Amino acid sequence: MIKRNLLVISILSFVFIININAQETRVKYNFNPDWKFIKANPTNAQVVNYNDASWSTVSAPHTFNDTDTFDDLSIGKHIGEKNQFRGTVWYRKHFKLPKSDAGKKIYIEFESVRQIADVYINGQYLGTNKTGFIPFGYDLSSYLNYGDKENIIAVKVNNDRGEHFRDNFPLVWHHEHWHPNHGGIYRNVFLHVMDPVHITLPLYDNLKTVGTYVHAKNISKKKANVYVTAETVNESKKDRKITFEAKIVDANGKEVSCERKTELLKAGETKTFATKNKVTKPKLWYTRRPYMYKVVTTLKEGDKELDSYTTPLGIRSFYFSKDTGFHNNGEYAKLHGWGQKPTAGWAGLGAAQPDWLKEFTYRLMDEAGGNFIRWGHCAGSPAEIAMGDKYGFVTLMPGVSGESEDEGETWDIRIAAFRDMIVYYRNHPSIFIWEGGNWAETAAHYEEILKIIKTYDPHGKRLMGNRRADVKNDSEAYISIEIGTEGWQREYAHLPLIESEYLRDEGPRRAWDKFTPDDNFWTHPNLSRNVYKIGSEVFAIRQVEDWWEKMGKKSYHSGGANWVFTDGTHGGRNPTEVTRASGEVDAVRLKKEAFHATKAMWRPEAQIHVIGHWNYAEDTQKTMYVVSNCTKVKLYINNKLIGTDEKADNGYLFKFPKVKFEAGEIKVEGYLNDKLLVSQTKKTIGEPVAIKLTPIVGPKGWMADGSDIALVDFEVVDKNGDRYPLGKNTVNFTISGPGIWRGGYNSSKANTTNNQFLDAEAGINRVAIRSMLEAGEVTITAKSEGLQSASVTISSKGVTISNGMSKELPQTYKVDFNSEEPLPIYTPKTEPYNPARVNKSDLFTKFSYTGNGKAALRKNVHWGKKTYTDLEYNYTVIPRYLVGAEYVRMPNSDGKYWARDQLQFIAGADMEIYIGHDDRVPRPAFLLNDYKDTGDDVNLVGVKMSLFKRVAKKGESIIMAGNSDGEVPDDTRMYFVIGKKIKK
């Protein structure tokens, strides 16, 4: 169920709809179809007469890494998939422009190219872009041919990178540690044709233009003032008397305000027009009702319309409170959602996905109750940011970043990208926070960041923060919101707090629980190397636990981003998988039990979900878990009441221990104030007898544009057509007709992508077929031994492509902006913020801990004090010189967990830092590099812990990684940390 009334109908993109209101004064061409491509680096491929006849024909979005990703088992240790093609390739496009376009201004816009793009037009070099994630463009006007003479645009693309992400200078964010290395023209390309007198494009890189800027002030339910500015240029050869018109149009197409100004625009002059528009009784943009207006800015000379441009507008006020969290138009809203990689790889497709397929993912986040997204650690695509506007997702928006404080060329590229990002996206109402970087900066860098915001978004009132700003004292004077990591404690008591990356656990969809027949997880030969040895059930339970403990129960906490929504190949810690299985959906967007858990917590309507299936062995007895936003849950088996739970754990989790399996039905009911509001039934499914195929296409259909995707779900079903939840049958496919098989993947096996065979996982899997430039019927047949086969036919629709271009822009879904979701039916009670409960320490200041368990700061260590937060182990004999020192109480459960920035603090005084490390565990790099063995040992419940020491100066930033970056014994001890002030 999607929270707003979604109309799945055929439309063009939002921008295209609003632009056709103009009199064809400005044309935006879809420049995606029909490129020539070669996976090689021939010399002089930019020259006009280069023979590219033997090259492949492709359409953007396109990546040359779609066939070599999701095909290797994870290396583990937070290392991403490395075995991908890296190098230089070429794209060339042949196109013609009519003679009537001669004398007009023509610009090309790339929504981004990974990673380095050198662009040429008719043999002339235009420039280079290295950001990989930020839109950029070029003025082609003076290089073009018109009429029958062809034009050639050539793009040399390089996605190579250094072996280690720390040494990948200058593009430190361009590494599979952060983003799967999917090179290519992987987002849309557009060609803009406009009058010489026009409103500029918001493409600062190379063009140095900023377009329109729209913001609202004095916002109430009675009125709002909307200020519109538009950078306008006269590139004709004569002075022009121009009337600038700014119209505000509501979601129903009705004009609600119009202001005009007439001024002389001299030849060659650039001028910014400005109006103040008044809107009475504005419909405000809420996360639960994201109402969108549009601002249509038009240039006229007399009665002749010269140019028109449309800008999104959402009228909203907001504030983040350090004590009470986030408020939107005066209404409190807890933020819950996901961090998402801007590549967001899809098995078989990589990062090259049509806009509607990206929206397919966004709609799933919406269905699961999300209202917040943090793009990590680089900017999302234009289509996805517009989806934030459309679905009511508060957005935390970065430029480009890895995880470091950068200097030199890296910083120069980063800060320019940050500027370009703000110019391009500053009109989107869903963006509430600019992220300056994924790591703390110097004071000088912070000043540059704030200067850019002040220059290009002076009225946005958006907050700015850096994730891990707590690693540097410089941060405090500049950031206006704390972007936390893992949410255990706040580091800045005077700032509001938003979480950027909580719950890094991994749980594959196929592995239900330990009571279910295995599907290559519990018996996988790599299981001993996994950091996370949990199945789908425990992974879903942890969604509830982590959300409630870290954010949900904290009234002061604005909320946060679960890390991440979709499984991907970016730095997994489980070598049993081909992905980092941290998503609520897998790499082809099939839902895990964790998806249903978040939905049951976060949707405002009454929700209930029993975790798991009901196909156990006859003698099974297990705890059944139910997630619900109700206050009482009843569980029945075959209509017999088994139990009632009126006390949820962690706000939303209900437990029913020792439930005996009986074939038939398990039913759960959710009550609020003793009123039955919602129920769910799962039943025992019979043995599979057939394959069931279900096609999925975009809202307009499957377009024969060379890059559109059709999905096909295949299920193994019983005689009633119900999916068998234990099904793992191998299915073989055949395909006929104008389509390119892209396949899917099996999450625990190498080399399963792009094959015409695939295993079902938990009874279902999904494959993809790419369209060609030829329309027609494509038939897919699925066969499996012992099952009735199935076939499905999908028709691709013709797309009008003329001279290499199309006026049909990428398709998206339409939503009803007039609909409104309700307030939550129930929210578990939370305690008011009490600053006295915050961890305080004289030595461990700005303390943060990103592990799975909770760490705590304590004073006066001595015999008998607890060492860990999760074990009843006490210090017994410790060196006398440590008695009375401050210490960190760690979770022993994190002894096998590794992350670079696991524990961090800033020394509050000149101090000695002592670490006790389990001698059976390989010593991590931070310990070997920064600490010296004291020769003393601590015996901790029979385990020898070697004591290491270093000296830190006041204000020094201290970072400790995980216990070990290698293999550890099952009964390993987590290291302990003690701090002692140096007496002067």
Side-chain angles (χ1 to χ4, degrees):
M1 179 178 62
I2 305 297
K3 72 184 180 187
R4 274 165 282 282
N5 181 25
L6 299 179
L7 307 177
V8 184
I9 63 173
S10 169
I11 65 168
L12 300 181
S13 75
F14 182 69
V15 173
F16 184 60
I17 287 177
I18 54 188
N19 275 347
I20 63 174
N21 293 330
Q23 305 162 8
E24 283 287 298
T25 54
R26 175 187 292 221
V27 181
K28 182 178 181 179
Y29 287 108
N30 185 339
F31 216 54
N32 287 334
D34 200 13
W35 289 75
K36 304 297 287 183
F37 169 75
I38 189 168
K39 199 173 181 178
N41 185 18
T43 57
N44 296 322
Q46 78 278 10
V47 301
V48 173
N49 61 357
Y50 184 91
N51 185 0
D52 58 21
S54 63
W55 292 18
S56 303
T57 298
V58 302
S59 292
H62 175 265
T63 177
F64 46 88
N65 295 113
D66 51 353
T67 60
D68 61 3
T69 187
F70 292 95
D71 60 343
D72 297 314
L73 287 171
S74 175
I75 298 168
K77 301 182 181 180
H78 201 248
I79 301 171
E81 184 181 39
K82 298 180 69 173
N83 187 24
Q84 296 172 321
F85 174 84
R86 306 199 306 269
T88 300
V89 304
W90 282 85
Y91 295 85
R92 283 168 58 91
K93 186 176 184 67
H94 301 246
F95 67 102
K96 293 180 181 179
L97 293 167
K99 288 183 179 180
S100 58
D101 283 346
K104 293 185 177 180
K105 296 299 296 184
I106 300 176
Y107 301 92
I108 190 168
E109 175 187 347
F110 293 91
E111 288 190 337
S112 56
V113 178
R114 287 193 71 199
Q115 179 61 50
I116 301 174
D118 293 300
V119 183
Y120 302 82
I121 180 67
N122 293 331
Q124 300 295 312
Y125 173 70
L126 293 175
T128 300
N129 186 277
K130 298 181 179 181
T131 70
F133 295 93
I134 310 299
F136 62 98
Y138 299 102
D139 183 351
L140 308 183
S141 310
S142 60
Y143 305 101
L144 293 170
N145 304 308
Y146 299 90
D148 293 332
K149 193 170 182 181
E150 197 173 57
N151 296 283
I152 307 291
I153 192 158
V155 186
K156 182 172 73 170
V157 180
N158 179 280
N159 77 327
D160 206 358
R161 52 102 180 113
E163 284 304 313
H164 193 276
F165 66 94
R166 296 291 168 204
D167 302 323
N168 194 37
F169 183 82
L171 307 179
V172 296
W173 58 93
H174 174 56
H175 196 281
E176 64 273 0
H177 187 89
W178 313 120
H179 309 284
N181 198 31
H182 301 163
I185 305 177
Y186 74 110
R187 291 182 182 168
N188 297 315
V189 189
F190 299 109
L191 199 71
H192 301 271
V193 180
M194 60 190 77
D195 193 271
V197 179
H198 60 270
I199 298 165
T200 65
L201 293 168
L203 296 171
Y204 198 90
D205 180 73
N206 189 66
L207 294 179
K208 303 296 184 287
T209 55
V210 298
T212 59
Y213 183 45
V214 177
H215 65 280
K217 289 184 177 180
N218 304 318
I219 299 167
S220 70
K221 292 182 179 180
K222 293 183 178 180
K223 64 178 183 177
N225 295 331
V226 177
Y227 296 83
V228 181
T229 64
E231 183 184 61
T232 304
V233 62
N234 178 6
E235 296 199 45
S236 71
K237 295 180 179 179
K238 62 179 183 178
D239 298 348
R240 314 288 282 271
K241 188 178 181 180
I242 299 298
T243 297
F244 173 74
E245 181 180 86
K247 288 183 181 179
I248 299 177
V249 181
D250 70 13
N252 298 317
K254 179 183 176 182
E255 180 184 310
V256 297
S257 177
C258 182
E259 295 292 333
R260 297 177 179 87
K261 280 192 175 182
T262 301
E263 295 186 23
L264 182 68
L265 194 59
K266 296 180 179 179
E269 183 182 11
T270 298
K271 177 175 288 188
T272 298
F273 284 93
T275 64
K276 175 184 175 182
N277 293 56
K278 294 181 180 180
V279 179
T280 58
K281 295 182 179 179
K283 295 177 181 177
L284 303 182
W285 191 100
Y286 287 87
T287 58
R288 61 189 186 90
R289 190 200 183 189
Y291 191 90
M292 291 297 295
Y293 294 88
K294 59 191 178 187
V295 178
V296 181
T297 45
T298 304
L299 303 179
K300 293 181 178 179
E301 187 175 36
D303 293 331
K304 182 182 179 182
E305 186 174 308
L306 302 178
D307 188 41
S308 184
Y309 186 78
T310 304
T311 304
L313 170 65
I315 301 174
R316 83 284 191 272
S317 62
F318 69 95
Y319 69 94
F320 288 86
S321 166
K322 68 180 179 64
D323 298 321
T324 58
F326 175 69
H327 300 260
N328 183 191
N329 302 316
E331 179 181 283
Y332 171 77
K334 194 77 167 185
L335 298 178
H336 33 68
W338 290 272
Q340 185 72 335
K341 295 289 185 178
T343 45
W346 189 300
L349 307 176
Q353 301 159 33
D355 286 355
W356 81 265
L357 200 55
K358 294 177 180 178
E359 191 164 355
F360 183 89
T361 302
Y362 225 108
R363 286 158 61 89
L364 287 169
M365 290 191 288
D366 183 73
E367 180 187 347
N371 61 7
F372 176 66
I373 189 165
R374 183 245 178 171
W375 292 102
H377 311 286
C378 297
S381 70
E384 288 162 321
I385 306 310
M387 292 169 203
D389 299 343
K390 185 174 172 178
Y391 291 96
F393 274 64
V394 170
T395 300
L396 172 55
M397 186 66 163
V400 295
S401 183
E403 190 180 72
S404 54
E405 178 190 330
D406 301 309
E407 298 293 343
E409 186 180 357
T410 296
W411 176 252
D412 292 342
I413 296 171
R414 270 190 56 199
I415 196 65
F418 185 75
R419 173 204 61 209
D420 299 345
M421 179 272 295
I422 287 182
V423 168
Y424 194 89
Y425 293 110
R426 61 187 177 171
N427 293 311
H428 289 278
S430 56
I431 298 176
F432 286 72
I433 307 168
W434 298 122
E435 182 175 306
N438 195 39
W439 198 253
E441 310 291 349
T442 62
H445 284 177
Y446 278 125
E447 287 174 1
E448 286 189 69
I449 290 168
L450 292 179
K451 183 179 180 181
I452 284 173
I453 295 172
K454 185 177 180 180
T455 301
Y456 297 104
D457 186 27
H459 305 292
K461 298 182 180 178
R462 295 173 170 105
L463 279 64
M464 191 284 291
N466 281 43
R467 176 182 166 269
R468 301 323 315 265
D470 53 330
V471 304
K472 205 171 186 65
N473 276 333
D474 287 1
S475 303
E476 191 157 350
Y478 298 99
I479 61 172
S480 49
I481 189 168
E482 178 186 335
I483 301 176
T485 299
E486 281 295 309
W488 286 119
Q489 59 280 312
R490 69 191 311 169
E491 284 79 60
Y492 295 93
H494 67 292
L495 292 178
L497 170 64
I498 192 79
E499 171 59 46
S500 65
E501 297 182 17
Y502 80 90
L503 192 63
R504 304 179 186 189
D505 296 22
E506 300 179 40
R509 183 177 62 82
R510 72 183 185 282
W512 287 101
D513 53 48
K514 289 190 175 181
F515 296 90
T516 301
D518 189 32
D519 187 1
N520 200 26
F521 183 72
W522 310 110
T523 56
H524 197 289
N526 291 346
L527 185 66
S528 64
R529 295 168 52 205
N530 274 20
V531 171
Y532 306 102
K533 299 180 178 67
I534 60 173
S536 185
E537 179 183 71
V538 174
F539 185 57
I541 291 168
R542 290 188 180 178
Q543 303 296 322
V544 181
E545 295 172 342
D546 269 48
W547 163 253
W548 184 249
E549 289 297 319
K550 295 176 180 177
M551 282 139 290
K553 73 178 185 181
K554 298 174 181 177
S555 58
Y556 65 87
H557 208 302
S558 299
N562 191 328
W563 196 249
V564 289
F565 185 68
T566 60
D567 288 356
T569 61
H570 48 275
R573 295 183 174 98
N574 281 6
T576 61
E577 311 303 310
V578 298
T579 64
R580 179 177 184 171
S582 295
E584 270 61 75
V585 296
D586 69 9
V588 292
R589 279 45 171 185
L590 288 168
K591 301 171 184 175
K592 302 181 186 179
E593 290 299 284
F595 174 94
H596 301 289
T598 60
K599 180 178 179 179
M601 290 190 293
W602 295 344
R603 292 293 305 158
E605 313 90 353
Q607 300 288 328
I608 196 165
H609 181 74
V610 56
I611 297 175
H613 57 85
W614 199 238
N615 266 67
Y616 292 102
E618 289 296 330
D619 59 348
T620 299
Q621 180 174 294
K622 71 181 292 288
T623 299
M624 296 301 295
Y625 298 91
V626 180
V627 188
S628 179
N629 58 0
C630 296
T631 56
K632 180 170 68 175
V633 169
K634 293 182 179 181
L635 183 143
Y636 302 81
I637 295 178
N638 295 325
N639 294 319
K640 178 183 177 182
L641 180 63
I642 300 301
T644 301
D645 189 351
E646 297 186 57
K647 189 175 181 181
D649 293 338
N650 298 298
Y652 302 93
L653 186 66
F654 298 84
K655 292 192 294 189
F656 296 88
K658 297 182 180 180
V659 175
K660 294 182 180 179
F661 171 76
E662 294 178 21
E665 291 186 344
I666 183 171
K667 182 174 74 171
V668 289
E669 295 177 335
Y671 293 80
L672 182 62
N673 299 324
D674 289 321
K675 181 181 180 181
L676 175 62
L677 295 183
V678 65
S679 65
Q680 182 191 53
T681 300
K682 292 187 176 183
K683 61 184 179 181
T684 306
I685 308 299
E687 291 295 316
V689 298
I691 302 170
K692 178 182 177 181
L693 299 181
T694 304
I696 302 170
V697 297
K700 189 181 178 181
W702 189 29
M703 309 309 296
D705 59 9
S707 63
D708 199 14
I709 299 297
L711 305 173
V712 179
D713 288 356
F714 67 93
E715 301 171 79
V716 291
V717 298
D718 69 0
K719 63 181 180 181
N720 299 316
D722 295 321
R723 185 194 310 167
Y724 181 59
L726 311 184
K728 50 183 178 179
N729 310 59
T730 299
V731 177
N732 294 282
F733 298 89
T734 58
I735 180 173
S736 63
I740 300 172
W741 183 261
R742 307 312 300 138
Y745 83 121
N746 283 125
S747 57
S748 66
K749 298 179 180 178
N751 303 313
T752 61
T753 56
N754 308 115
N755 298 323
Q756 286 187 221
F757 57 88
L758 206 61
D759 296 346
E761 295 185 346
I764 186 173
N765 214 327
R766 177 175 284 160
V767 295
I769 302 98
R770 178 172 289 135
S771 69
M772 302 174 72
L773 293 173
E774 173 190 355
E777 292 188 344
V778 174
T779 299
I780 298 98
T781 300
K783 297 181 179 180
S784 182
E785 185 177 352
L787 300 178
Q788 181 180 336
S789 60
S791 292
V792 66
T793 297
I794 312 172
S795 296
S796 62
K797 297 183 177 182
V799 175
T800 302
I801 303 170
S802 178
N803 295 316
M805 300 176 292
S806 174
K807 287 188 179 181
E808 297 184 41
L809 296 191
Q811 58 175 320
T812 60
Y813 294 88
K814 184 177 181 180
V815 302
D816 180 2
F817 289 117
N818 292 291
S819 66
E820 180 176 328
E821 69 175 20
L823 290 167
I825 60 155
Y826 170 74
T827 301
K829 185 179 179 182
T830 61
E831 295 295 327
Y833 175 50
N834 183 353
R837 295 178 182 173
V838 177
N839 279 337
K840 290 185 176 179
S841 168
D842 297 329
L843 298 182
F844 300 104
T845 67
K846 300 292 189 299
F847 175 84
S848 63
Y849 183 74
T850 69
N852 289 329
K854 188 173 183 178
L857 298 177
R858 295 293 182 264
K859 296 185 177 183
N860 194 25
V861 67
H862 56 73
W863 177 89
K865 286 292 186 81
K866 282 178 62 176
T867 309
Y868 301 111
T869 55
D870 56 354
L871 288 177
E872 294 299 323
Y873 290 175
N874 299 329
Y875 290 108
T876 52
V877 179
I878 63 172
R880 182 174 295 275
Y881 55 80
L882 293 181
V883 173
E886 296 190 23
Y887 66 107
V888 182
R889 187 175 289 170
M890 307 280 277
N892 188 66
S893 58
D894 283 350
K896 296 183 180 181
Y897 179 80
W898 188 86
R900 172 180 180 261
D901 52 354
Q902 183 179 40
L903 185 151
Q904 180 276 326
F905 65 92
I906 293 176
D910 293 350
M911 63 185 292
E912 296 170 339
I913 304 169
Y914 295 89
I915 294 179
H917 192 261
D918 188 341
D919 275 348
R920 301 168 299 164
V921 175
R923 293 170 180 174
F926 83 88
L927 193 63
L928 294 173
N929 295 338
D930 300 334
Y931 294 78
K932 292 184 178 180
D933 195 333
T934 65
D936 293 330
D937 302 316
V938 173
N939 189 305
L940 188 61
V941 195
V943 174
K944 179 183 175 184
M945 308 286 283
S946 293
L947 200 62
F948 293 78
K949 173 187 174 182
R950 69 163 288 185
V951 173
K953 295 289 186 181
K954 182 179 179 179
E956 188 174 348
S957 180
I958 308 297
I959 298 173
M960 301 178 189
N963 203 34
S964 174
D965 193 11
E967 301 295 318
V968 298
D970 288 338
D971 62 345
T972 183
R973 296 278 192 272
M974 181 61 178
Y975 62 77
F976 62 75
V977 180
I978 296 174
K980 184 178 179 182
K981 184 176 181 179
I982 296 175
K983 295 181 180 179
K984 296 182 179 179

